[in-house]
Amino acid sequence: MSTHYQNLLISRPDPAVLLITLNRPKALNALNKALITEIHQALDQAENDPEIGSIVLTGSERAFAAGADIKEMKDKKCTPAISHEKMILTNDVISVAEVYKSDFLHDWSRITRMRKPTIAAVSGYALGGGCELAMMCDIILASPTAVFGQPEINLGIIPGAGGTQRLTHAIGKSRAMELILTGRDITAQMAEAWGLVSRVVGDGEGEVVKEAVQVASTIASKGQIAIQAAKEAVNASYQLQLEEGLRLERRLFHSLFATKDQKEGMTAFAEKRKPVFTHL
Ligand code: HXC
């Protein structure tokens, strides 16, 4: 991948896996606009590269990401009603309309629109927007050092990139309320017990990334049409009533019988050999 990034390290630990490492170590990978923009560029490239089957997103040992960049956000002001005239005069107060038009935070959700599966490999702090970014991924693996939390309440705000919704879906109302209303963090072990992460992995440096790459390689080795259909169906369970979700699942299931990968997968089973998927 030829793009040069200022805030990311990009590698291909397997030709079919893109590893994106957040790289603002001095700021504990605080998510500023430049970093978010680069994540989206890397995701766009991954989505458009037919050799890449899945993506791993990680940070450093000390921090996956310690949240949105507070220093960048701190001077944002917003008044419910303000005349255009006053805005020009004072030049330091922007209206709700201006914040709305700038679509502040909207573009954070790019990762949730990926068709290819995404895995967050979390070590250290995953706080605020960092926890929200991890929750936008399809799978979260955590190292034993990981710390998850939504401390926005301590800053006089609330989570703004999905924390109130995705955390509640993941761990339930009472636990989500406790974390969001107190601003307290939880350990990796608690996050595993509560179902926020699928597993706590390893105890050495880099172990969680290695394991995430393994999982990503396994995913990338399957037929990609079926992988993407499975991801679409699971994600639909957040949006649809059970009946509609089951109908969508059935329709996707039926449609996979039109793929070469289905013929290959079932023929390979009958012939007692490994399938060779062509993603067709
Ligand atoms: C900007 C940050 C930052 C952040 C850390 N830093 N978190 N800068 N935004 N979110 C910077 C510090 O200012 C400091 O820079 C350097 O990183 C190291 O941090 P320390 O505080 O010195 O480290 P430590 O004492 O180990 O404490 C680690 C920490 C603490 C517990 C993670 O940094 C912390 O509480 N950070 C803020 C966490 C937070 O509130 N996150 C939510 C943000 S709001 P200098 O230059 O001083 O060395 C949010 C809203 C999302 O995410 C809304 C949707 C987008």
Side-chain angles (χ1 to χ4, degrees):
M1 215 164 272
S2 56
T3 314
H4 184 69
Y5 294 103
Q6 306 288 328
N7 302 285
L8 299 179
L9 302 173
I10 297 286
S11 63
R12 296 279 277 274
D14 167 325
V17 175
L18 185 76
L19 173 61
I20 303 175
T21 304
L22 309 185
N23 188 34
R24 285 190 78 205
K26 286 187 188 148
L28 304 185
N29 291 329
L31 300 159
N32 63 4
K33 201 166 179 7
L35 177 50
I36 292 289
T37 303
E38 289 190 2
I39 293 172
H40 295 161
Q41 285 168 357
L43 292 173
D44 285 342
Q45 288 189 3
E47 194 81 309
N48 293 327
D49 184 337
E51 281 202 8
I52 294 175
S54 56
I55 295 102
V56 174
L57 184 65
T58 194
S60 65
E61 287 298 315
R62 194 167 164 218
F64 176 75
D69 192 314
I70 299 168
K71 293 166 193 168
E72 191 180 68
M73 272 189 304
K74 75 179 174 37
D75 293 325
K76 274 198 193 297
K77 295 178 194 168
C78 180
T79 59
I82 181 169
S83 71
H84 186 59
E85 226 172 317
K86 183 165 179 207
M87 216 180 91
I88 289 168
L89 284 175
T90 61
N91 207 28
D92 67 342
V93 181
I94 52 176
S95 68
V96 168
E98 290 303 310
V99 176
Y100 184 84
K101 278 190 278 181
S102 77
D103 222 359
F104 178 48
L105 296 187
H106 167 79
D107 56 359
W108 275 54
S109 60
R110 168 71 185 91
I111 197 160
T112 63
R113 295 190 300 278
M114 290 292 286
R115 297 181 74 184
K116 297 179 180 178
T118 53
I119 303 175
V122 178
S123 293
Y125 297 111
L127 300 178
C131 186
E132 291 171 308
L133 183 64
M135 290 191 293
M136 287 180 205
C137 294
D138 298 316
I139 297 171
I140 307 177
L141 297 181
S143 89
T145 64
V147 173
F148 296 87
Q150 299 288 161
E152 287 89 343
I153 207 74
N154 299 326
L155 300 168
I157 56 170
I158 68 169
T164 62
Q165 306 301 301
R166 293 197 180 93
L167 189 64
T168 309
H169 280 292
I171 67 176
K173 175 181 154 183
S174 181
R175 289 162 173 166
M177 281 285 190
E178 191 180 339
L179 293 192
I180 290 168
L181 302 186
T182 65
R184 247 187 46 207
D185 345 298
I186 53 169
T187 60
Q189 294 71 22
M190 188 69 92
E192 182 183 39
W194 285 1
L196 176 59
V197 307
S198 39
R199 285 182 288 137
V200 179
V201 175
D203 47 14
E205 199 165 307
E207 289 281 308
V208 71
V209 177
K210 266 191 222 149
E211 181 65 20
V213 168
Q214 286 254 306
V215 174
S217 293
T218 302
I219 291 169
S221 73
K222 314 290 182 194
Q224 293 309 296
I225 301 174
I227 286 286
Q228 291 178 19
K231 170 170 168 163
E232 185 182 344
V234 172
N235 279 333
S237 71
Y238 284 97
Q239 313 288 340
L240 303 180
Q241 298 289 339
L242 182 61
E243 267 310 310
E244 293 168 69
L246 291 172
R247 193 177 7 254
L248 174 74
E249 181 191 78
R250 265 195 319 276
R251 291 293 170 259
L252 288 168
F253 177 80
H254 292 152
S255 68
L256 291 171
F257 283 79
T259 65
K260 288 189 176 161
D261 283 349
Q262 175 269 330
K263 301 285 172 296
E264 169 61 10
M266 294 192 181
T267 305
F269 175 81
E271 293 175 356
K272 300 188 187 298
R273 62 173 174 83
K274 272 194 153 185
V276 180
F277 293 118
T278 51
H279 318 308
L280 295 169

